[in-house]
Amino acid sequence: MPLYEYRCRACGAEFEQLVRWNTPPEEIECPHCGRREAEKRLSRFAARGTDSGSRRDAACGPIT
Ligand SMILES: [Zn+2]
């Protein structure tokens, strides 16, 4: 099962949860306040995207 990062909209807590890939966010219970208002965070993928983007920019620079 993949590990996802969630942020609770009710109390603002950030936590990681092992879930099935098709688990809707409404089923994720916040470990801090117990409410089900978590939203999925995509920080890991976003960071990777930014990384390759800046590397491509750097490679473009010297070609003149
Ligand atoms: Zn919460």
Side-chain angles (χ1 to χ4, degrees):
M1 285 195 293
L3 182 67
Y4 287 117
E5 290 180 29
Y6 289 92
R7 200 181 80 88
C8 176
R9 278 193 292 251
C11 72
E14 296 179 358
F15 54 97
E16 294 180 335
Q17 194 91 300
L18 276 170
V19 296
R20 294 190 303 273
W21 67 271
N22 58 347
T23 301
E26 304 87 66
E27 289 187 15
I28 306 300
E29 197 171 279
C30 172
H32 295 270
C33 69
R35 297 177 70 167
R36 297 187 177 185
E37 297 186 34
E39 59 182 4
K40 191 182 285 182
R41 303 182 67 220
L42 298 172
S43 56
R44 220 166 285 174
F45 295 105
R48 191 180 296 166
T50 311
D51 212 29
S52 64
S54 59
R55 202 175 300 146
R56 201 176 301 138
D57 286 345
C60 282
I63 309 173
T64 27

Tab-separated table of all heavy atoms in Angstrom:
chain	number	residue	atom	x	y	z
A	1	MET	N	0.848	-1.202	0.000
A	1	MET	CA	0.000	0.000	0.000
A	1	MET	C	0.881	1.248	0.000
A	1	MET	O	1.881	1.285	0.702
A	1	MET	CB	-0.894	0.009	1.239
A	1	MET	CG	-2.060	-0.957	1.160
A	1	MET	SD	-3.291	-0.605	2.401
A	1	MET	CE	-2.367	-1.025	3.875
A	2	PRO	N	0.517	2.218	-0.790
A	2	PRO	CA	1.318	3.448	-0.831
A	2	PRO	C	1.088	4.333	0.387
A	2	PRO	O	0.028	4.303	1.010
A	2	PRO	CB	0.811	4.149	-2.102
A	2	PRO	CG	-0.581	3.654	-2.276
A	2	PRO	CD	-0.615	2.262	-1.702
A	3	LEU	N	2.106	5.107	0.691
A	3	LEU	CA	2.030	6.045	1.806
A	3	LEU	C	1.730	7.432	1.251
A	3	LEU	O	2.473	7.946	0.425
A	3	LEU	CB	3.361	6.044	2.555
A	3	LEU	CG	3.466	6.931	3.799
A	3	LEU	CD1	2.559	6.420	4.894
A	3	LEU	CD2	4.908	6.957	4.281
A	4	TYR	N	0.626	8.011	1.712
A	4	TYR	CA	0.249	9.328	1.233
A	4	TYR	C	0.325	10.348	2.361
A	4	TYR	O	0.163	10.008	3.526
A	4	TYR	CB	-1.182	9.309	0.666
A	4	TYR	CG	-1.284	8.617	-0.666
A	4	TYR	CD1	-2.051	7.459	-0.801
A	4	TYR	CD2	-0.629	9.120	-1.784
A	4	TYR	CE1	-2.155	6.820	-2.021
A	4	TYR	CE2	-0.733	8.490	-3.005
A	4	TYR	CZ	-1.496	7.343	-3.122
A	4	TYR	OH	-1.596	6.713	-4.327
A	5	GLU	N	0.539	11.576	1.974
A	5	GLU	CA	0.537	12.660	2.951
A	5	GLU	C	-0.797	13.383	2.877
A	5	GLU	O	-1.314	13.658	1.798
A	5	GLU	CB	1.671	13.645	2.656
A	5	GLU	CG	3.040	13.070	2.924
A	5	GLU	CD	4.130	14.086	2.611
A	5	GLU	OE1	3.876	15.284	2.726
A	5	GLU	OE2	5.219	13.652	2.227
A	6	TYR	N	-1.344	13.668	4.050
A	6	TYR	CA	-2.624	14.371	4.109
A	6	TYR	C	-2.509	15.578	5.021
A	6	TYR	O	-1.669	15.632	5.902
A	6	TYR	CB	-3.726	13.454	4.640
A	6	TYR	CG	-4.119	12.378	3.669
A	6	TYR	CD1	-3.500	11.137	3.703
A	6	TYR	CD2	-5.113	12.604	2.725
A	6	TYR	CE1	-3.852	10.146	2.807
A	6	TYR	CE2	-5.470	11.615	1.827
A	6	TYR	CZ	-4.837	10.397	1.875
A	6	TYR	OH	-5.182	9.422	0.992
A	7	ARG	N	-3.396	16.537	4.769
A	7	ARG	CA	-3.508	17.671	5.678
A	7	ARG	C	-4.965	17.791	6.084
A	7	ARG	O	-5.861	17.728	5.250
A	7	ARG	CB	-3.057	18.961	5.011
A	7	ARG	CG	-2.701	20.055	6.004
A	7	ARG	CD	-2.297	21.316	5.276
A	7	ARG	NE	-3.490	22.033	4.825
A	7	ARG	CZ	-4.138	22.925	5.574
A	7	ARG	NH1	-3.706	23.205	6.778
A	7	ARG	NH2	-5.211	23.531	5.118
A	8	CYS	N	-5.182	17.941	7.382
A	8	CYS	CA	-6.543	18.033	7.890
A	8	CYS	C	-7.047	19.469	7.746
A	8	CYS	O	-6.419	20.403	8.227
A	8	CYS	CB	-6.578	17.588	9.348
A	8	CYS	SG	-8.212	17.775	10.101
A	9	ARG	N	-8.177	19.622	7.062
A	9	ARG	CA	-8.726	20.965	6.880
A	9	ARG	C	-9.367	21.488	8.166
A	9	ARG	O	-9.561	22.678	8.336
A	9	ARG	CB	-9.772	20.963	5.750
A	9	ARG	CG	-9.144	21.045	4.378
A	9	ARG	CD	-10.201	21.357	3.346
A	9	ARG	NE	-11.123	20.232	3.191
A	9	ARG	CZ	-11.162	19.458	2.111
A	9	ARG	NH1	-10.361	19.698	1.116
A	9	ARG	NH2	-12.010	18.473	2.013
A	10	ALA	N	-9.722	20.572	9.076
A	10	ALA	CA	-10.403	20.978	10.301
A	10	ALA	C	-9.431	21.559	11.325
A	10	ALA	O	-9.682	22.604	11.896
A	10	ALA	CB	-11.149	19.791	10.897
A	11	CYS	N	-8.291	20.879	11.545
A	11	CYS	CA	-7.365	21.327	12.578
A	11	CYS	C	-5.996	21.682	12.017
A	11	CYS	O	-5.145	22.188	12.732
A	11	CYS	CB	-7.234	20.268	13.681
A	11	CYS	SG	-6.308	18.798	13.182
A	12	GLY	N	-5.767	21.438	10.720
A	12	GLY	CA	-4.510	21.832	10.095
A	12	GLY	C	-3.375	20.855	10.310
A	12	GLY	O	-2.251	21.111	9.889
A	13	ALA	N	-3.640	19.715	10.937
A	13	ALA	CA	-2.591	18.741	11.192
A	13	ALA	C	-2.153	18.080	9.889
A	13	ALA	O	-2.962	17.838	8.991
A	13	ALA	CB	-3.084	17.685	12.172
A	14	GLU	N	-0.856	17.797	9.784
A	14	GLU	CA	-0.341	17.087	8.626
A	14	GLU	C	0.116	15.713	9.079
A	14	GLU	O	0.799	15.581	10.088
A	14	GLU	CB	0.806	17.871	7.994
A	14	GLU	CG	0.337	19.213	7.449
A	14	GLU	CD	1.478	20.012	6.843
A	14	GLU	OE1	2.620	19.548	6.888
A	14	GLU	OE2	1.201	21.106	6.325
A	15	PHE	N	-0.274	14.694	8.322
A	15	PHE	CA	0.063	13.335	8.743
A	15	PHE	C	0.178	12.441	7.527
A	15	PHE	O	-0.301	12.769	6.439
A	15	PHE	CB	-0.996	12.782	9.710
A	15	PHE	CG	-2.408	12.843	9.160
A	15	PHE	CD1	-2.974	11.724	8.551
A	15	PHE	CD2	-3.160	13.993	9.264
A	15	PHE	CE1	-4.262	11.768	8.047
A	15	PHE	CE2	-4.452	14.046	8.756
A	15	PHE	CZ	-5.002	12.932	8.156
A	16	GLU	N	0.862	11.293	7.711
A	16	GLU	CA	0.999	10.325	6.635
A	16	GLU	C	0.108	9.135	6.936
A	16	GLU	O	-0.071	8.754	8.084
A	16	GLU	CB	2.459	9.873	6.507
A	16	GLU	CG	3.369	10.991	6.063
A	16	GLU	CD	4.809	10.520	5.932
A	16	GLU	OE1	5.169	9.533	6.599
A	16	GLU	OE2	5.548	11.131	5.165
A	17	GLN	N	-0.454	8.551	5.894
A	17	GLN	CA	-1.378	7.452	6.074
A	17	GLN	C	-1.144	6.412	4.987
A	17	GLN	O	-0.976	6.748	3.827
A	17	GLN	CB	-2.810	7.989	5.974
A	17	GLN	CG	-3.837	7.018	6.468
A	17	GLN	CD	-4.126	7.216	7.952
A	17	GLN	OE1	-3.250	7.097	8.785
A	17	GLN	NE2	-5.355	7.537	8.282
A	18	LEU	N	-1.122	5.153	5.397
A	18	LEU	CA	-1.059	4.070	4.432
A	18	LEU	C	-2.473	3.775	3.962
A	18	LEU	O	-3.333	3.400	4.760
A	18	LEU	CB	-0.462	2.812	5.077
A	18	LEU	CG	1.065	2.725	5.118
A	18	LEU	CD1	1.480	1.550	5.991
A	18	LEU	CD2	1.646	2.549	3.735
A	19	VAL	N	-2.730	3.960	2.678
A	19	VAL	CA	-4.075	3.736	2.169
A	19	VAL	C	-4.039	2.978	0.855
A	19	VAL	O	-3.016	2.956	0.172
A	19	VAL	CB	-4.817	5.076	1.948
A	19	VAL	CG1	-5.032	5.803	3.260
A	19	VAL	CG2	-4.042	5.942	0.968
A	20	ARG	N	-5.168	2.369	0.526
A	20	ARG	CA	-5.288	1.790	-0.807
A	20	ARG	C	-5.297	2.931	-1.818
A	20	ARG	O	-5.725	4.039	-1.522
A	20	ARG	CB	-6.577	0.967	-0.922
A	20	ARG	CG	-6.576	-0.267	-0.040
A	20	ARG	CD	-7.763	-1.138	-0.397
A	20	ARG	NE	-9.011	-0.380	-0.259
A	20	ARG	CZ	-9.698	-0.257	0.861
A	20	ARG	NH1	-9.263	-0.833	1.961
A	20	ARG	NH2	-10.806	0.439	0.899
A	21	TRP	N	-4.871	2.662	-3.022
A	21	TRP	CA	-4.711	3.730	-4.017
A	21	TRP	C	-6.030	4.403	-4.337
A	21	TRP	O	-6.064	5.560	-4.737
A	21	TRP	CB	-4.085	3.178	-5.301
A	21	TRP	CG	-4.977	2.212	-6.034
A	21	TRP	CD1	-5.039	0.869	-5.841
A	21	TRP	CD2	-5.926	2.521	-7.064
A	21	TRP	NE1	-5.969	0.321	-6.676
A	21	TRP	CE2	-6.527	1.318	-7.446
A	21	TRP	CE3	-6.315	3.705	-7.697
A	21	TRP	CZ2	-7.514	1.260	-8.430
A	21	TRP	CZ3	-7.297	3.637	-8.672
A	21	TRP	CH2	-7.882	2.433	-9.031
A	22	ASN	N	-7.134	3.694	-4.166
A	22	ASN	CA	-8.427	4.269	-4.548
A	22	ASN	C	-9.236	4.739	-3.336
A	22	ASN	O	-10.428	4.954	-3.437
A	22	ASN	CB	-9.236	3.264	-5.364
A	22	ASN	CG	-9.477	1.964	-4.595
A	22	ASN	OD1	-8.852	1.730	-3.568
A	22	ASN	ND2	-10.356	1.135	-5.086
A	23	THR	N	-8.599	4.875	-2.193
A	23	THR	CA	-9.320	5.339	-1.017
A	23	THR	C	-9.651	6.827	-1.151
A	23	THR	O	-8.760	7.636	-1.338
A	23	THR	CB	-8.478	5.139	0.251
A	23	THR	OG1	-8.152	3.758	0.391
A	23	THR	CG2	-9.235	5.618	1.482
A	24	PRO	N	-10.924	7.187	-1.093
A	24	PRO	CA	-11.279	8.610	-1.192
A	24	PRO	C	-10.872	9.354	0.077
A	24	PRO	O	-10.882	8.768	1.166
A	24	PRO	CB	-12.807	8.585	-1.345
A	24	PRO	CG	-13.232	7.282	-0.753
A	24	PRO	CD	-12.093	6.323	-0.967
A	25	PRO	N	-10.527	10.633	-0.056
A	25	PRO	CA	-10.083	11.426	1.109
A	25	PRO	C	-11.129	11.480	2.210
A	25	PRO	O	-10.783	11.659	3.384
A	25	PRO	CB	-9.857	12.821	0.517
A	25	PRO	CG	-9.721	12.625	-0.946
A	25	PRO	CD	-10.498	11.394	-1.300
A	26	GLU	N	-12.402	11.299	1.853
A	26	GLU	CA	-13.460	11.364	2.857
A	26	GLU	C	-13.364	10.219	3.867
A	26	GLU	O	-13.958	10.280	4.933
A	26	GLU	CB	-14.849	11.304	2.196
A	26	GLU	CG	-15.071	12.387	1.162
A	26	GLU	CD	-14.579	11.960	-0.216
A	26	GLU	OE1	-15.135	11.042	-0.810
A	26	GLU	OE2	-13.599	12.566	-0.688
A	27	GLU	N	-12.593	9.172	3.510
A	27	GLU	CA	-12.475	8.041	4.427
A	27	GLU	C	-11.246	8.152	5.319
A	27	GLU	O	-11.009	7.315	6.171
A	27	GLU	CB	-12.425	6.734	3.628
A	27	GLU	CG	-13.769	6.393	3.003
A	27	GLU	CD	-13.726	5.013	2.366
A	27	GLU	OE1	-12.796	4.251	2.655
A	27	GLU	OE2	-14.647	4.711	1.582
A	28	ILE	N	-10.437	9.190	5.076
A	28	ILE	CA	-9.233	9.363	5.886
A	28	ILE	C	-9.570	10.121	7.152
A	28	ILE	O	-10.047	11.246	7.109
A	28	ILE	CB	-8.153	10.132	5.099
A	28	ILE	CG1	-7.877	9.437	3.766
A	28	ILE	CG2	-6.874	10.256	5.928
A	28	ILE	CD1	-7.386	8.010	3.896
A	29	GLU	N	-9.332	9.459	8.285
A	29	GLU	CA	-9.665	10.077	9.555
A	29	GLU	C	-8.432	10.751	10.154
A	29	GLU	O	-7.371	10.155	10.234
A	29	GLU	CB	-10.199	8.999	10.504
A	29	GLU	CG	-10.943	9.567	11.695
A	29	GLU	CD	-11.642	8.440	12.465
A	29	GLU	OE1	-12.732	8.006	12.042
A	29	GLU	OE2	-11.074	8.009	13.482
A	30	CYS	N	-8.569	11.993	10.531
A	30	CYS	CA	-7.453	12.729	11.130
A	30	CYS	C	-7.101	12.122	12.483
A	30	CYS	O	-7.978	11.959	13.333
A	30	CYS	CB	-7.846	14.199	11.296
A	30	CYS	SG	-6.622	15.147	12.223
A	31	PRO	N	-5.819	11.774	12.690
A	31	PRO	CA	-5.411	11.173	13.967
A	31	PRO	C	-5.428	12.159	15.124
A	31	PRO	O	-5.336	11.769	16.278
A	31	PRO	CB	-3.986	10.670	13.687
A	31	PRO	CG	-3.487	11.535	12.572
A	31	PRO	CD	-4.699	11.904	11.747
A	32	HIS	N	-5.531	13.433	14.804
A	32	HIS	CA	-5.478	14.455	15.855
A	32	HIS	C	-6.871	14.835	16.349
A	32	HIS	O	-7.107	14.927	17.539
A	32	HIS	CB	-4.744	15.695	15.345
A	32	HIS	CG	-3.296	15.433	15.039
A	32	HIS	ND1	-2.296	15.580	15.968
A	32	HIS	CD2	-2.693	14.993	13.908
A	32	HIS	CE1	-1.135	15.261	15.419
A	32	HIS	NE2	-1.347	14.893	14.176
A	33	CYS	N	-7.801	15.080	15.410
A	33	CYS	CA	-9.120	15.545	15.846
A	33	CYS	C	-10.221	14.544	15.482
A	33	CYS	O	-11.356	14.703	15.915
A	33	CYS	CB	-9.426	16.916	15.243
A	33	CYS	SG	-9.687	16.892	13.459
A	34	GLY	N	-9.880	13.508	14.696
A	34	GLY	CA	-10.847	12.454	14.417
A	34	GLY	C	-11.850	12.797	13.333
A	34	GLY	O	-12.729	11.996	13.022
A	35	ARG	N	-11.740	13.990	12.733
A	35	ARG	CA	-12.684	14.356	11.687
A	35	ARG	C	-12.191	13.849	10.330
A	35	ARG	O	-11.022	13.523	10.147
A	35	ARG	CB	-12.856	15.878	11.660
A	35	ARG	CG	-13.445	16.397	12.949
A	35	ARG	CD	-13.537	17.890	12.946
A	35	ARG	NE	-14.556	18.361	12.011
A	35	ARG	CZ	-15.010	19.608	12.003
A	35	ARG	NH1	-14.534	20.480	12.860
A	35	ARG	NH2	-15.923	19.972	11.153
A	36	ARG	N	-13.105	13.775	9.399
A	36	ARG	CA	-12.743	13.255	8.074
A	36	ARG	C	-12.765	14.380	7.052
A	36	ARG	O	-13.607	14.422	6.160
A	36	ARG	CB	-13.706	12.134	7.675
A	36	ARG	CG	-13.608	10.951	8.626
A	36	ARG	CD	-14.430	9.783	8.139
A	36	ARG	NE	-14.265	8.643	9.047
A	36	ARG	CZ	-14.786	7.447	8.840
A	36	ARG	NH1	-15.511	7.232	7.759
A	36	ARG	NH2	-14.592	6.481	9.684
A	37	GLU	N	-11.839	15.295	7.202
A	37	GLU	CA	-11.764	16.427	6.275
A	37	GLU	C	-10.349	16.566	5.745
A	37	GLU	O	-9.838	17.661	5.557
A	37	GLU	CB	-12.207	17.712	6.982
A	37	GLU	CG	-13.653	17.666	7.427
A	37	GLU	CD	-14.102	19.004	7.992
A	37	GLU	OE1	-13.646	20.047	7.526
A	37	GLU	OE2	-14.924	18.985	8.919
A	38	ALA	N	-9.708	15.418	5.515
A	38	ALA	CA	-8.329	15.451	5.043
A	38	ALA	C	-8.281	15.730	3.551
A	38	ALA	O	-9.167	15.343	2.791
A	38	ALA	CB	-7.647	14.128	5.343
A	39	GLU	N	-7.239	16.428	3.143
A	39	GLU	CA	-7.000	16.594	1.718
A	39	GLU	C	-5.621	16.037	1.406
A	39	GLU	O	-4.684	16.171	2.188
A	39	GLU	CB	-7.111	18.060	1.307
A	39	GLU	CG	-6.124	18.968	2.032
A	39	GLU	CD	-6.310	20.419	1.637
A	39	GLU	OE1	-7.245	20.700	0.877
A	39	GLU	OE2	-5.515	21.248	2.097
A	40	LYS	N	-5.500	15.397	0.240
A	40	LYS	CA	-4.254	14.738	-0.106
A	40	LYS	C	-3.205	15.774	-0.504
A	40	LYS	O	-3.495	16.725	-1.198
A	40	LYS	CB	-4.488	13.765	-1.263
A	40	LYS	CG	-3.307	12.855	-1.516
A	40	LYS	CD	-3.568	11.965	-2.690
A	40	LYS	CE	-4.537	10.841	-2.360
A	40	LYS	NZ	-4.748	9.933	-3.502
A	41	ARG	N	-2.008	15.565	-0.021
A	41	ARG	CA	-0.906	16.450	-0.418
A	41	ARG	C	-0.040	15.719	-1.441
A	41	ARG	O	0.182	14.528	-1.341
A	41	ARG	CB	-0.065	16.828	0.800
A	41	ARG	CG	-0.887	17.485	1.893
A	41	ARG	CD	0.002	17.871	3.054
A	41	ARG	NE	0.913	18.932	2.667
A	41	ARG	CZ	2.204	18.988	3.047
A	41	ARG	NH1	2.701	18.051	3.786
A	41	ARG	NH2	2.955	19.984	2.685
A	42	LEU	N	0.458	16.468	-2.407
A	42	LEU	CA	1.258	15.854	-3.462
A	42	LEU	C	2.675	16.409	-3.456
A	42	LEU	O	3.312	16.580	-4.467
A	42	LEU	CB	0.615	16.121	-4.823
A	42	LEU	CG	-0.785	15.526	-4.990
A	42	LEU	CD1	-1.410	16.011	-6.296
A	42	LEU	CD2	-0.736	14.012	-4.993
A	43	SER	N	3.181	16.699	-2.257
A	43	SER	CA	4.462	17.384	-2.145
A	43	SER	C	5.595	16.592	-2.785
A	43	SER	O	6.468	17.153	-3.422
A	43	SER	CB	4.779	17.638	-0.672
A	43	SER	OG	4.751	16.424	0.043
A	44	ARG	N	5.559	15.263	-2.630
A	44	ARG	CA	6.664	14.471	-3.135
A	44	ARG	C	6.748	14.552	-4.662
A	44	ARG	O	7.798	14.737	-5.231
A	44	ARG	CB	6.485	13.012	-2.691
A	44	ARG	CG	7.794	12.374	-2.265
A	44	ARG	CD	7.552	11.085	-1.526
A	44	ARG	NE	7.069	11.322	-0.150
A	44	ARG	CZ	6.670	10.370	0.663
A	44	ARG	NH1	6.660	9.131	0.260
A	44	ARG	NH2	6.256	10.647	1.865
A	45	PHE	N	5.596	14.442	-5.326
A	45	PHE	CA	5.582	14.505	-6.786
A	45	PHE	C	5.893	15.921	-7.256
A	45	PHE	O	6.610	16.127	-8.211
A	45	PHE	CB	4.221	14.058	-7.322
A	45	PHE	CG	3.938	12.618	-7.026
A	45	PHE	CD1	3.044	12.260	-6.039
A	45	PHE	CD2	4.591	11.620	-7.732
A	45	PHE	CE1	2.791	10.932	-5.759
A	45	PHE	CE2	4.350	10.289	-7.460
A	45	PHE	CZ	3.440	9.943	-6.469
A	46	ALA	N	5.349	16.908	-6.568
A	46	ALA	CA	5.568	18.297	-6.957
A	46	ALA	C	7.046	18.645	-6.863
A	46	ALA	O	7.596	19.307	-7.730
A	46	ALA	CB	4.747	19.217	-6.062
A	47	ALA	N	7.703	18.178	-5.804
A	47	ALA	CA	9.118	18.470	-5.613
A	47	ALA	C	9.934	17.853	-6.749
A	47	ALA	O	10.851	18.467	-7.278
A	47	ALA	CB	9.586	17.921	-4.266
A	48	ARG	N	9.554	16.638	-7.148
A	48	ARG	CA	10.297	15.971	-8.212
A	48	ARG	C	10.127	16.733	-9.532
A	48	ARG	O	11.054	16.886	-10.300
A	48	ARG	CB	9.802	14.527	-8.359
A	48	ARG	CG	10.701	13.699	-9.248
A	48	ARG	CD	10.166	12.289	-9.363
A	48	ARG	NE	10.177	11.568	-8.083
A	48	ARG	CZ	9.528	10.426	-7.861
A	48	ARG	NH1	8.802	9.903	-8.800
A	48	ARG	NH2	9.588	9.836	-6.688
A	49	GLY	N	8.903	17.215	-9.785
A	49	GLY	CA	8.639	17.954	-11.010
A	49	GLY	C	9.445	19.239	-11.064
A	49	GLY	O	10.059	19.552	-12.088
A	50	THR	N	9.469	19.964	-9.975
A	50	THR	CA	10.229	21.215	-9.920
A	50	THR	C	11.712	20.949	-10.135
A	50	THR	O	12.408	21.708	-10.801
A	50	THR	CB	10.033	21.892	-8.547
A	50	THR	OG1	8.651	21.945	-8.260
A	50	THR	CG2	10.594	23.300	-8.549
A	51	ASP	N	12.158	19.840	-9.580
A	51	ASP	CA	13.563	19.495	-9.673
A	51	ASP	C	14.005	19.309	-11.126
A	51	ASP	O	14.946	19.928	-11.583
A	51	ASP	CB	13.800	18.190	-8.892
A	51	ASP	CG	15.191	18.168	-8.276
A	51	ASP	OD1	15.709	19.250	-7.970
A	51	ASP	OD2	15.741	17.073	-8.121
A	52	SER	N	13.281	18.473	-11.878
A	52	SER	CA	13.646	18.207	-13.270
A	52	SER	C	13.479	19.466	-14.108
A	52	SER	O	14.216	19.699	-15.056
A	52	SER	CB	12.788	17.067	-13.826
A	52	SER	OG	11.436	17.445	-13.845
A	53	GLY	N	12.511	20.301	-13.748
A	53	GLY	CA	12.292	21.533	-14.492
A	53	GLY	C	13.475	22.467	-14.391
A	53	GLY	O	13.952	22.989	-15.399
A	54	SER	N	13.988	22.657	-13.191
A	54	SER	CA	15.107	23.586	-13.007
A	54	SER	C	16.368	23.021	-13.660
A	54	SER	O	17.197	23.753	-14.170
A	54	SER	CB	15.337	23.834	-11.519
A	54	SER	OG	15.606	22.623	-10.852
A	55	ARG	N	16.489	21.682	-13.636
A	55	ARG	CA	17.667	21.074	-14.241
A	55	ARG	C	17.650	21.297	-15.767
A	55	ARG	O	18.666	21.519	-16.396
A	55	ARG	CB	17.683	19.574	-13.934
A	55	ARG	CG	19.080	18.955	-14.040
A	55	ARG	CD	19.067	17.491	-13.613
A	55	ARG	NE	18.625	17.335	-12.225
A	55	ARG	CZ	17.910	16.292	-11.788
A	55	ARG	NH1	17.563	15.348	-12.599
A	55	ARG	NH2	17.532	16.225	-10.519
A	56	ARG	N	16.431	21.243	-16.349
A	56	ARG	CA	16.314	21.453	-17.783
A	56	ARG	C	16.667	22.914	-18.127
A	56	ARG	O	17.320	23.196	-19.110
A	56	ARG	CB	14.877	21.156	-18.233
A	56	ARG	CG	14.778	20.860	-19.718
A	56	ARG	CD	13.346	20.485	-20.097
A	56	ARG	NE	12.871	19.306	-19.361
A	56	ARG	CZ	11.649	19.185	-18.835
A	56	ARG	NH1	10.801	20.160	-18.936
A	56	ARG	NH2	11.301	18.103	-18.187
A	57	ASP	N	16.241	23.834	-17.263
A	57	ASP	CA	16.562	25.241	-17.481
A	57	ASP	C	18.070	25.468	-17.461
A	57	ASP	O	18.632	26.176	-18.279
A	57	ASP	CB	15.900	26.114	-16.408
A	57	ASP	CG	14.410	26.246	-16.647
A	57	ASP	OD1	13.949	25.911	-17.757
A	57	ASP	OD2	13.715	26.677	-15.735
A	58	ALA	N	18.723	24.795	-16.511
A	58	ALA	CA	20.176	24.956	-16.386
A	58	ALA	C	20.887	24.435	-17.630
A	58	ALA	O	21.865	25.007	-18.096
A	58	ALA	CB	20.662	24.221	-15.142
A	59	ALA	N	20.358	23.333	-18.201
A	59	ALA	CA	20.987	22.748	-19.384
A	59	ALA	C	20.802	23.650	-20.601
A	59	ALA	O	21.629	23.703	-21.490
A	59	ALA	CB	20.384	21.376	-19.655
A	60	CYS	N	19.682	24.383	-20.645
A	60	CYS	CA	19.403	25.252	-21.769
A	60	CYS	C	20.341	26.460	-21.780
A	60	CYS	O	20.662	27.003	-22.821
A	60	CYS	CB	17.950	25.735	-21.732
A	60	CYS	SG	16.792	24.505	-22.305
A	61	GLY	N	20.759	26.892	-20.616
A	61	GLY	CA	21.548	28.105	-20.491
A	61	GLY	C	22.778	28.166	-21.381
A	61	GLY	O	22.883	29.061	-22.222
A	62	PRO	N	23.704	27.217	-21.263
A	62	PRO	CA	24.999	27.314	-21.970
A	62	PRO	C	24.886	27.210	-23.483
A	62	PRO	O	25.836	27.518	-24.185
A	62	PRO	CB	25.781	26.114	-21.420
A	62	PRO	CG	25.084	25.741	-20.159
A	62	PRO	CD	23.643	26.064	-20.396
A	63	ILE	N	23.732	26.731	-24.002
A	63	ILE	CA	23.627	26.527	-25.454
A	63	ILE	C	23.378	27.863	-26.172
A	63	ILE	O	22.271	28.203	-26.498
A	63	ILE	CB	22.495	25.530	-25.788
A	63	ILE	CG1	22.663	24.252	-24.946
A	63	ILE	CG2	22.514	25.197	-27.285
A	63	ILE	CD1	21.508	23.294	-25.089
A	64	THR	N	24.399	28.599	-26.439
A	64	THR	CA	24.241	29.851	-27.217
A	64	THR	C	25.449	30.095	-28.105
A	64	THR	O	26.533	29.630	-27.845
A	64	THR	CB	24.035	31.084	-26.302
A	64	THR	OG1	24.649	30.834	-25.040
A	64	THR	CG2	22.571	31.363	-26.098
B	1	ZN	ZN	-7.695	17.188	12.321
